[in-house]
Amino acid sequence: MVQLNQFINQNKDRFLQELIELLKIPSVSADSKFKNDVRSAAQFIKNKLVEAGADSCQVFETKGHPIVYGEKIINKQYPTVLVYGHYDVQPADPYELWDSDPFEPVIKTTSIHPEGAIFARGACDDKGQMYMHIKAFEAMMKTNSLLCNVKFMIEGEEEVGSENLETFIRAQKSLLKADVVLVSDTGIIANDTPSICVGLRGLSYVEVEVTGPNRDLHSGLYGGAVANPINILTKMIASLHDEDSKINIPGFYDDVEIVSDAQREEMSKAPFNLKDYQDDLEINAVHGEKGYTTNERNSIRPTLDVNGIWGGYIGEGAKTVLPSKAYAKISMRLVPNQSSKKITELFQHHFNAIAPDSVKVKVTPHHGGEGVVVPTNFKGFVAASKAMEETFGKKPIPVRSGGSIPIVPLFEEVLGLKTILLGFGLDSDVIHSPNEHYGVFNYFKGIETIPLFYKYFNEEKTR
Ligand code: BES
Ligand code: MN
Ligand code: MN
């Protein structure tokens, strides 16, 4: 692939500039203020697919943000790769914690990225990683080296649960016919330690509201005699974990997939240094479910976390008030075989059951999704592993991640397709946080690795 790598090398500056242009568009899917920007980002992607040589490029409207589609059927005999990614990003808040404007990308070196990293919201999650696929495709097209048919499906609602994409794939089964799905929206262990993500957790997300008296009260006149919903809510939340940090909801663990000792042993071989982990986060100790290691706690075990909690007076100074209401947002990360619908129902039932008579409780479910495990013995994985081994000079380690991509399990359920999670981000790229960035090294490593995946996938399929 000399010619192809030459093409990539000659176009590096332009490939970077185009990504920077895309990163300037604040395509925040959660906030309706950015609706037009989300649309501009979709249009940008569509134009770049056309320029790269894709056919049938189209921006599909949905009830929410649009989906960009484009394809190249180069040879009916070749296998087809469905590339999925997202062009929407998380809100950049809190802005004041960014060292530079989240939508004015800058390239700076860091100790982990001596070759530089692009700082911007979405740099790693997922604009930078998604755009690698469009540039790899362009390079293959321009050097006549595309060895698979390719279909691109790039959405604008991943960060808000992909509900309209689910409707889309259910309606477009024949358009999306393929042999495998390829996604770069996960990470590797380190730039000298390649890995392939072979698991994602599912998600159940709820919002709870606890109501005490019908109005805010004077905390002196009523305090002690009327239930304070914040006191009650925090007590209820505290009761959701036991001493061993196991989740106290009846039935919660019933369907949890048991990972064999042999598999746990295999997983423990991935390099990990607890002291570095703690130092990075400036914590003196880790915390979690008894009987499991840190890497097991954040991948093969389910969790329950409060994401936000509010109520009462939070302004300046002291206001003596017994509030009428208290709220919390709670997420549960699930493992394969747990059903997000069932877990949401179990939570709802349990939360109502533990509420004292002195308050009323309302549980509102938000978006959810199921967990995924990727087998390591099918053609797609073999091709991905060979591709990474060639560009990194080391065999990639299969690793299960703790994050979620809700559409991935539906690719299997609806389209009957397995997904290869060929991501290139690092945990230290701080996705979703202030100062998100993506290594220039990682960006180009991705662009070089993707064509090799196509090559080996073609060989595996036609063997
Ligand atoms: N790309 C991430 C998920 C991810 C990151 C998986 C790193 C594995 C490694 C994705 O954009 C994301 O943030 N997903 C959300 C779920 C969604 C429903 C908001 C998540 O995991 O919180
Ligand atoms: Mn993502
Ligand atoms: Mn994300």
Side-chain angles (χ1 to χ4, degrees):
M1 298 210 153
V2 176
Q3 249 207 323
L4 183 116
N5 282 333
Q6 209 171 29
F7 181 88
I8 295 170
N9 275 324
Q10 284 163 353
N11 289 278
K12 278 192 165 174
D13 282 347
R14 179 171 60 83
F15 285 4
L16 262 181
Q17 282 316 311
E18 287 177 15
L19 173 58
I20 286 173
E21 228 187 294
L22 173 61
L23 289 168
K24 285 185 180 178
I25 309 173
S27 47
V28 180
S29 50
D31 187 343
S32 57
K33 194 166 83 214
F34 297 102
K35 193 164 185 276
N36 290 333
D37 299 297
V38 176
R39 184 157 287 279
S40 312
Q43 199 58 48
F44 180 98
I45 306 291
K46 185 203 148 185
N47 294 345
K48 294 299 173 191
L49 280 173
V50 173
E51 286 171 27
D55 300 322
S56 311
C57 297
Q58 200 178 326
V59 173
F60 281 94
E61 292 303 329
T62 73
K63 278 188 194 154
H65 301 304
I67 297 161
V68 186
Y69 180 84
E71 63 176 34
K72 188 76 205 177
I73 309 301
I74 198 99
N75 182 333
K76 287 253 150 64
Q77 309 301 310
Y78 286 174
T80 303
V81 177
L82 175 61
V83 173
Y84 162 76
H86 63 95
Y87 65 81
D88 65 321
V89 301
Q90 285 275 323
D93 311 69
Y95 280 74
E96 65 277 12
L97 295 184
W98 284 78
D99 295 329
S100 56
D101 188 312
F103 300 108
E104 284 300 336
V106 287
I107 298 181
K108 285 188 293 191
T109 58
T110 71
S111 57
I112 288 173
H113 294 293
E115 297 175 43
I118 315 162
F119 284 75
R121 170 56 84 232
C124 176
D125 184 12
D126 180 39
K127 284 174 171 170
Q129 297 212 62
M130 174 273 293
Y131 205 63
M132 301 182 311
H133 287 269
I134 301 184
K135 293 302 99 177
F137 169 68
E138 178 192 330
M140 290 185 277
M141 285 295 289
K142 300 276 163 72
T143 56
N144 286 317
S145 54
L146 182 62
L147 293 174
C148 289
N149 300 314
V150 56
K151 297 180 173 179
F152 288 92
M153 181 175 71
I154 315 294
E155 72 153 322
E157 297 193 318
E158 195 278 339
E159 301 291 8
V160 291
S162 300
E163 275 169 25
N164 292 303
L165 186 66
E166 176 175 352
T167 312
F168 182 79
I169 67 166
R170 288 191 188 279
Q172 298 285 354
K173 284 189 207 164
S174 70
L175 179 72
L176 301 174
K177 216 168 163 301
D179 294 284
V180 75
V181 184
L182 182 62
V183 181
S184 297
D185 194 21
T186 54
I188 51 175
I189 296 173
N191 281 353
D192 60 0
T193 316
S195 58
I196 297 180
C197 178
V198 290
L200 293 168
R201 285 195 284 193
L203 182 67
S204 158
Y205 200 113
V206 295
E207 189 166 325
V208 300
E209 180 189 286
V210 175
T211 307
N214 62 357
R215 59 185 189 274
D216 284 7
L217 303 174
H218 188 292
S219 68
L221 298 183
Y222 290 92
V226 175
N228 178 326
I230 303 182
N231 294 5
I232 302 280
L233 173 62
T234 49
K235 196 173 165 192
M236 287 168 75
I237 288 172
S239 79
L240 296 176
H241 287 98
D242 72 9
E243 261 87 272
D244 295 336
S245 291
K246 288 211 182 296
I247 296 154
N248 248 338
I249 301 173
F252 187 88
Y253 290 98
D254 283 2
D255 301 325
V256 166
E257 169 215 51
I258 307 295
V259 178
S260 70
D261 287 348
Q263 264 178 296
R264 288 175 69 183
E265 173 67 29
E266 194 54 40
M267 285 176 57
S268 71
K269 289 183 189 149
F272 175 74
N273 183 307
L274 187 61
K275 175 146 194 324
D276 291 349
Y277 185 83
Q278 293 184 168
D279 287 351
D280 175 46
L281 302 174
E282 296 180 36
I283 52 175
N284 296 323
V286 289
H287 174 97
E289 188 182 359
K290 197 173 165 190
Y292 294 91
T293 65
T294 294
N295 275 335
E296 290 173 341
R297 289 169 178 168
N298 68 25
S299 64
I300 60 166
R301 298 299 295 169
T303 63
L304 183 151
D305 276 294
V306 179
N307 294 246
I309 182 162
W310 70 102
Y313 181 70
I314 52 167
E316 199 180 326
K319 179 190 178 196
T320 49
V321 61
L322 193 163
S324 165
K325 284 177 187 290
Y327 306 84
K329 290 184 194 276
I330 298 174
S331 69
M332 288 161 278
R333 294 281 169 174
L334 311 177
V335 295
N337 207 39
Q338 280 183 298
S339 143
S340 65
K341 188 165 169 280
K342 181 172 164 191
I343 292 294
T344 302
E345 282 165 10
L346 286 178
F347 179 94
Q348 212 156 4
H349 181 261
H350 179 69
F351 215 67
N352 278 294
I354 61 172
D357 292 341
S358 52
V359 297
K360 295 182 199 75
V361 165
K362 193 167 109 193
V363 179
T364 310
H366 284 283
H367 56 240
E370 313 305 333
V372 182
V373 244
V374 181
T376 53
N377 58 358
F378 84 111
K379 292 174 159 68
F381 186 86
V382 174
S385 180
K386 281 185 179 171
M388 266 202 166
E389 185 173 358
E390 191 164 326
T391 51
F392 283 88
K394 274 187 200 171
K395 235 188 170 55
I397 304 168
V399 190
R400 286 223 217 166
S401 168
S404 310
I405 308 178
I407 199 68
V408 171
L410 294 166
F411 289 144
E412 173 107 53
E413 189 196 312
V414 179
L415 305 174
L417 296 177
K418 298 238 173 302
T419 299
I420 291 297
L421 298 161
L422 189 65
F424 294 84
L426 299 179
D427 283 352
S428 57
D429 291 344
V430 295
I431 61 172
H432 292 206
S433 302
N435 300 314
E436 175 180 355
H437 54 278
Y438 189 43
V440 172
F441 168 91
N442 304 69
Y443 182 56
F444 289 111
K445 195 57 102 181
I447 296 174
E448 285 157 23
T449 307
I450 290 161
L452 292 169
F453 172 81
Y454 283 61
K455 178 180 135 189
Y456 291 124
F457 191 63
N458 175 315
E459 283 174 15
E460 290 293 324
K461 285 295 285 190
T462 48
R463 211 156 50 168

